[in-house]
Amino acid sequence: MKTTDFSYDLPQELIAQTPCETRDGSRMLHLPLDGSPVEHTMFARLADYLREGDCLVFNDSRVIPARLLGSRASGGSAELLLLKPLGGDDWEVLARPGRRLMPGATVSFGDGAMVATVLSVGENGLRTVRFSYRGDWMEQLEILGKTPLPPYIKEELADKERYQTVYSKHSGSAAAPTAGLHFTPEVLDKLRAKGVQTEFVTLHVGLGTFRPVQADTIEEHHMHSETFSISAETAVRINAAKAAGGRVIAVGTTSCRVLESVADENGLLREMHGETDIFIYPGYRFKILDGLFTNFHLPESTLLMLVSALAGRDRVLAAYNEAVAERYRFFSFGDCMLIL
């Protein structure tokens, strides 16, 4: 399939620059998997679409202040985006300006409180760097790093916690699992009171999630790997919910990618900790997923392709065009979509 098959027209003014006034105040488009017409509603009504025994699976990764602004030893500024820890003090990073940051180059942050040395240049220009620093790594990162908002967001974030889910737990992501930004403790309590099961997996969001597709055909695109984890206890509970007739619904494409990476051909999960580069696009046969709660995604993105694999490209693009017509807010801080 052509990458351009997943394009749609989006007015710039519909790209949300700030979060909704309240986390749970967003609009929600319901796209039924049975072919029924879409419904325009509010996120506050999510529980109305779920039933006792359903299982929502969340990604509890926490965004780290992964954007580091520093200066090169040779002069001039440089920026590193932390993507993935490689062990010890080594990290895989996205670096700018890349042409200036070849092996041996150094970048200093905070008047030398932290220094990165480029070790190697890999696929797609990604760098492996080694950090030296004073004191504790996370303390220095909290002081020197910035929240890495997506490039289409031009406004500064007044409250950094609005780019974290309320259930974020394990630090390591370079971007938020944004479908979860809508949930509040009160919403979670309401869902549990109805008998909806809530489970948590971890996928540290890196380049694999937001790197644009540059190939002409989607089959030529290769996903960058990301670190994930699912515990034995979580796997057992999700398997039991599925066996009892509950629907397994991923909150966000990252949770979906964990579930589909781990599930065997019989749709059963097990404990697993590792890396996944799974790329889900139309033609993929889902092994465990029954539904998806997600935000609206960029044109020609792997995330839009994943959504299209579940609900069908034509139906998804028709729903997106309807969302544009209805003036929904798009992307990370925007409105949401329930495919179920």
Side-chain angles (χ1 to χ4, degrees):
M1 300 184 75
K2 293 182 179 180
T3 301
T4 52
D5 290 339
F6 298 87
S7 187
Y8 66 93
D9 293 325
L10 179 68
Q12 285 290 114
E13 66 269 19
L14 296 186
I15 300 175
Q17 293 298 311
T18 56
C20 190
E21 186 174 344
T22 60
R23 283 182 182 266
D24 59 354
S26 296
R27 300 168 71 189
M28 185 173 78
L29 186 151
H30 175 220
L31 179 61
L33 285 173
D34 65 3
S36 301
V38 301
E39 181 181 357
H40 301 287
T41 182
M42 300 297 293
F43 171 74
R45 286 194 56 213
L46 175 64
D48 296 343
Y49 295 87
L50 304 176
R51 56 187 184 229
E52 183 179 357
D54 283 345
C55 181
L56 286 177
V57 183
F58 300 81
N59 179 9
D60 64 7
S61 182
R62 185 169 177 81
V63 183
I64 60 174
R67 185 175 174 229
L68 289 165
L69 306 176
S71 55
R72 306 191 308 272
S74 57
S77 61
E79 178 180 339
L80 302 184
L81 177 64
L82 305 181
L83 295 176
K84 186 165 63 177
L86 300 175
D89 294 316
D90 294 357
W91 279 78
E92 181 181 72
V93 304
L94 195 61
R96 291 189 297 185
R99 65 185 183 281
R100 302 285 187 182
L101 295 172
M102 303 308 290
T106 61
V107 184
S108 176
F109 309 94
D111 296 323
M114 182 186 291
V115 176
T117 301
V118 180
L119 302 180
S120 62
V121 180
E123 183 184 1
N124 298 310
L126 301 182
R127 266 67 176 167
T128 297
V129 303
R130 178 167 297 161
F131 287 96
S132 57
Y133 46 90
R134 304 171 193 156
D136 180 77
W137 161 253
M138 280 308 300
E139 286 182 4
Q140 287 293 345
L141 193 59
E142 289 290 342
I143 294 169
L144 299 170
K146 293 180 177 293
T147 302
L149 294 176
Y152 51 77
I153 294 178
K154 308 301 181 185
E155 297 189 22
E156 288 291 325
L157 190 59
D159 177 8
K160 290 192 294 185
E161 281 301 304
R162 290 302 303 272
Y163 197 57
Q164 304 280 7
T165 62
V166 297
Y167 48 79
S168 64
K169 184 176 181 180
H170 302 289
S171 296
S173 280
T178 53
L181 296 179
H182 303 274
F183 289 81
T184 66
E186 293 76 17
V187 169
L188 293 171
D189 288 344
K190 181 178 179 180
L191 292 169
R192 290 165 182 150
K194 186 170 182 173
V196 175
Q197 189 173 324
T198 56
E199 298 294 343
F200 298 88
V201 298
T202 304
L203 182 139
H204 292 315
V205 185
L207 193 63
T209 293
F210 57 84
R211 184 163 68 92
V213 178
Q214 296 176 323
D216 291 335
T217 61
I218 64 175
E219 293 84 358
E220 296 176 79
H221 179 73
H222 176 68
M223 293 284 283
H224 195 70
S225 66
E226 295 166 310
T227 305
F228 76 91
S229 178
I230 178 172
S231 71
E233 296 80 9
T234 298
V236 167
R237 290 193 296 266
I238 297 174
N239 287 339
K242 183 83 169 182
R247 297 173 296 181
V248 176
I249 303 155
V251 175
T253 57
T254 57
S255 301
C256 167
R257 293 178 67 233
V258 173
L259 293 171
E260 290 297 317
S261 294
V262 176
D264 64 18
E265 288 306 312
N266 297 313
L268 292 174
L269 303 172
R270 65 190 188 282
E271 178 181 16
M272 189 177 291
H273 313 273
E275 304 266 324
T276 181
D277 62 357
I278 188 171
F279 181 18
I280 298 173
Y281 54 87
Y284 178 85
R285 184 178 68 84
F286 286 89
K287 295 177 285 187
I288 187 169
L289 199 75
D290 296 301
L292 177 68
F293 175 86
T294 186
N295 280 12
F296 292 93
H297 303 296
L298 276 73
E300 300 184 9
S301 65
T302 61
L303 308 181
L304 182 56
M305 294 168 190
L306 185 155
V307 172
S308 298
L310 180 63
R313 184 187 72 93
D314 292 344
R315 285 208 78 210
V316 167
L317 290 179
Y320 268 54
N321 288 331
E322 194 164 330
V324 169
E326 294 289 331
R327 310 297 289 176
Y328 276 67
R329 301 167 78 241
F330 277 65
F331 306 159
S332 294
F333 289 143
D335 293 315
C336 55
M337 185 176 193
L338 176 64
I339 304 173
L340 185 64

